[in-house]
Amino acid sequence: MLTTGTRLLDVANEHRFAVPAFNISDWAMCQGIFEISEEKAAPLIVAIHPDELAHVGVDFMPSVIQRAHRSSVPVAIHIDHGTTYRHILLAIQTGFTSAMIDGSMLPFEENIALTKRAVEAAHAVGLSVEGELGTIGTTDADSEAGAKKIVYTDPDDAVRFIEETGVDSLAIAIGTCHGIYPSWMKPEIKLDLLRDIKAKVDVPLVLHGGSSNPDAEIAESVRLGINKINISSDIKVSYHRAMREVLRDEGLREPLSIQPACVAAMKVTAAEKIDLFEADGKAALY
């Protein structure tokens, strides 16, 4: 069933698990993510970044929406890291049920103003809104945009931000980065900061840059109150690594011969994330 981000995350917040938000950028990936979520009876957020939407085209969206309506698990369709008011309008016009407005690179007051405007527009037509406070790092040029230096979320600023904008959930900066960490870079989540933020706010909290972090840290972040975790790089690495292996056979040309192994590899990674986030079987709560 198709639902909103608020509906998914409020239940996750109450029952202390995290809903996976898997970024997809083609139909085979989309089908595979639906399949593994249904096999695991896990709620699902299908996340599509504006760059991914530009790649697949807006005519892709009706198929995703119809697939969500037919799903046996609750599904929200989420525009990920919209950075402009226009991105929010695009989400509304193309059938998304959840939207992220990312003003984290702006000064604090400007972030509040942009996010508040996005919330007013989205709430008027029933979309839920995720804001972001603090900056997520980035590891390479192929990952989503991020800051060169992480600016951690201040708990008191988070309280004010939520009160003044009316966001339904908040992405916080506690030490993660977009992309796959290089070998010399040691990821570390500030779990004490997460604990402090969770003690002060009531809305569900979101973790971006969830790929490549140690499983133990991710699991603890869920126990401490993270309710949505974005996964993009990890599933794409699995998908395309398998594709490179398959394409060593230069005689293959049909997608039906090439893509099933890629989707299967991606589903293994996605299933591991669903289990790690304690989302398996949680569709029964909705």
Side-chain angles (χ1 to χ4, degrees), residues 24-231:
I24 58 99
S25 50
D26 68 31
W27 183 246
M29 290 182 70
C30 185
Q31 284 275 61
I33 288 300
F34 271 102
E35 289 168 4
I36 193 60
S37 298
E38 290 164 351
E39 290 167 21
K40 302 287 289 181
L44 167 65
I45 296 173
V46 175
I48 303 176
H49 188 280
D51 290 347
E52 292 168 326
L53 186 59
H55 171 67
V56 296
V58 295
D59 292 336
F60 177 77
M61 291 305 300
S63 295
V64 181
I65 293 165
Q66 287 304 312
R67 183 64 181 84
H69 278 301
R70 292 190 292 105
S71 182
S72 60
V73 299
V75 181
I77 304 174
H78 177 78
I79 194 162
D80 184 34
H81 284 286
T83 55
T84 67
Y85 185 67
R86 187 169 183 173
H87 284 150
I88 302 304
L89 297 182
L90 179 63
I92 293 169
Q93 292 162 354
T94 50
F96 286 82
T97 62
S98 177
M100 179 188 185
I101 183 67
D102 181 2
S104 62
M105 302 296 285
L106 299 173
F108 183 63
E109 298 294 342
E110 292 180 30
N111 189 1
I112 286 177
L114 174 63
T115 304
K116 183 177 180 181
R117 188 182 183 206
V119 167
E120 289 171 351
H123 281 184
V125 289
L127 273 72
S128 54
V129 179
E130 172 189 335
E132 182 167 337
L133 187 60
T135 58
I136 310 298
T138 188
T139 60
D140 55 50
D142 211 28
S143 60
E144 295 174 17
K148 292 182 179 180
K149 182 179 180 181
I150 297 172
V151 177
Y152 293 97
T153 304
D154 180 273
D156 293 327
D157 285 347
V159 172
R160 182 181 164 208
F161 186 84
I162 292 165
E163 288 176 348
E164 295 196 20
T165 62
V167 288
D168 303 294
S169 60
L170 182 66
I172 57 173
I174 55 173
T176 54
C177 292
H178 290 301
I180 299 296
Y181 289 90
S183 58
W184 54 265
M185 191 173 183
K186 182 179 181 297
E188 184 177 357
I189 298 175
K190 290 187 177 294
L191 295 171
D192 287 345
L193 178 57
L194 168 58
R195 191 179 287 109
D196 291 344
I197 295 169
K198 191 69 176 182
K200 292 196 171 192
V201 305
D202 294 325
V203 302
L205 296 178
V206 178
L207 187 68
H208 286 260
S211 297
S212 290
N213 288 90
D215 284 354
E217 285 191 350
I218 294 294
E220 184 63 15
S221 75
V222 172
R223 284 189 286 271
L224 291 175
I226 289 292
N227 303 122
K228 170 179 174 276
I229 302 178
N230 285 43
I231 296 294

